Amino acid sequence: MLNRRKALALGGGAALGVMAAGTGTASAATGWIRLPIVTANIGRDNLGAREAAIDAVRNCDSQVRPLVGWQEINEGDTGEPAMIDHYFGPLYNNAFLRHNTSFRIPISIPQPWEVASAKTTYVHGGITGVTPPRWINEVVVRHQSHPTLQFALINSHYIANAYNGDQRADLRDEWNEHKRIHASRVLAHHNVGRLVFWTADTNNPNYYKATNLDSERRCFGTGIDRINWLAGNGVVQEQFIDTKTVDMRVDGHDARVAVFQVRLA
């Protein structure tokens, strides 16, 4: 069994074989627990705005600490890990933030949630002058007071200019492979009955969902920055409440916030 200290250390981020487990007995129902989820791309056009943007993401919800899927961290610039450490401090586990390969797409997980397992998945290699290597990061989190209250959060960043911008057909093999692997990771959690959320910069304004399942839902109908979810087996229930945006002032990306609530049935 992982103790809490070891679970919080999973920010190093290599694939871990420990999955959150219940106690082996029926779990008591819980009340609704507020769950704001953010997708936040920290761009490179106005580097002086990054720290204020990270602060704004941290404070995007007035009631509870948000979970955040980040993109473009330390991608062509430096400094964001220290900023995230500062604003997302000791009450957070900033998983993958200093991972040796998938550091560009870390995930910030606040208490009372703790990491039960973490996995990083390679998607495709880098192309000089076009894209760095692409990865998918994911965590399964559980509530500290209710260990069977669990869900997965997947975060990623697709290659640009395949289905947006320059519309380059020669980049679509990489984009399509990313979507295929993304779907497989969402379905890996769904197929074991787990509620799964995902955040991403999809770099495709016509992106609807990762899987071909009618039950996959999206929080935003336009844009390239997306938050979607797929319900589990009903042990953990979710309700979608509302959305908002956070003006990042770094480049054309505003952070997107989807507010949910979850509970044990």
Side-chain angles (χ1 to χ4, degrees), residues 193-239:
R194 183 177 292 122
L195 168 65
V196 54
F197 301 96
W198 64 260
T199 57
D201 175 354
T202 67
N203 273 314
N204 184 340
N206 297 313
Y207 199 114
Y208 179 62
K209 52 190 175 182
T211 71
N212 62 358
L213 298 180
D214 293 338
S215 53
E216 182 179 343
R217 306 290 300 277
R218 56 180 176 169
C219 302
F220 297 91
T222 60
I224 62 175
D225 300 291
R226 297 302 181 106
I227 302 173
N228 281 27
W229 84 97
L230 192 56
N233 58 13
V235 172
V236 176
Q237 297 179 335
E238 84 290 343
Q239 286 186 351

Side-chain angles (χ1 to χ4, degrees), residues 124-245:
H124 64 76
I127 302 173
T128 301
V130 176
T131 179
R134 299 289 175 174
W135 301 79
I136 294 171
N137 285 341
E138 63 192 76
V139 291
V140 174
V141 303
R142 60 189 172 203
H143 195 280
Q144 291 173 345
S145 300
H146 311 285
T148 52
L149 179 49
Q150 305 176 10
F151 59 85
L153 178 62
I154 296 172
N155 182 46
S156 199
H157 186 181
Y158 285 64
I159 190 172
N161 294 313
Y163 291 99
N164 66 347
D166 295 338
Q167 296 283 337
R168 288 177 53 175
D170 61 310
L171 300 180
R172 291 182 179 175
D173 284 348
E174 286 81 5
W175 194 99
N176 294 340
E177 178 68 358
H178 198 145
K179 190 170 188 295
R180 183 191 70 79
I181 297 173
H182 187 185
S184 74
R185 295 312 310 150
V186 174
L187 291 170
H189 295 285
H190 177 69
N191 289 341
V192 296
R194 183 177 292 122
L195 168 65
V196 54
F197 301 96
W198 64 260
T199 57
D201 175 354
T202 67
N203 273 314
N204 184 340
N206 297 313
Y207 199 114
Y208 179 62
K209 52 190 175 182
T211 71
N212 62 358
L213 298 180
D214 293 338
S215 53
E216 182 179 343
R217 306 290 300 277
R218 56 180 176 169
C219 302
F220 297 91
T222 60
I224 62 175
D225 300 291
R226 297 302 181 106
I227 302 173
N228 281 27
W229 84 97
L230 192 56
N233 58 13
V235 172
V236 176
Q237 297 179 335
E238 84 290 343
Q239 286 186 351
F240 174 47
I241 299 174
D242 201 3
T243 62
K244 65 181 292 187
T245 60

Side-chain angles (χ1 to χ4, degrees), residues 53-75:
I54 291 168
D55 186 17
V57 170
R58 168 62 183 84
N59 293 292
C60 69
D61 190 88
S62 61
Q63 298 184 44
V64 298
R65 294 177 287 271
L67 285 79
V68 185
W70 304 94
Q71 300 93 37
E72 291 202 43
I73 301 304
N74 261 21
E75 184 174 323

Side-chain angles (χ1 to χ4, degrees), residues 67-116:
L67 285 79
V68 185
W70 304 94
Q71 300 93 37
E72 291 202 43
I73 301 304
N74 261 21
E75 184 174 323
D77 52 20
T78 59
E80 292 98 348
M83 297 174 194
I84 291 173
D85 279 339
H86 177 72
Y87 291 99
F88 292 75
L91 296 179
Y92 270 86
N93 177 6
N94 296 308
F96 310 102
L97 186 60
R98 291 178 173 82
H99 191 271
N100 61 342
T101 55
S102 66
F103 56 86
R104 297 175 181 88
I105 49 169
I107 302 172
S108 293
I109 305 105
Q111 295 180 19
W113 304 102
E114 62 184 14
V115 177

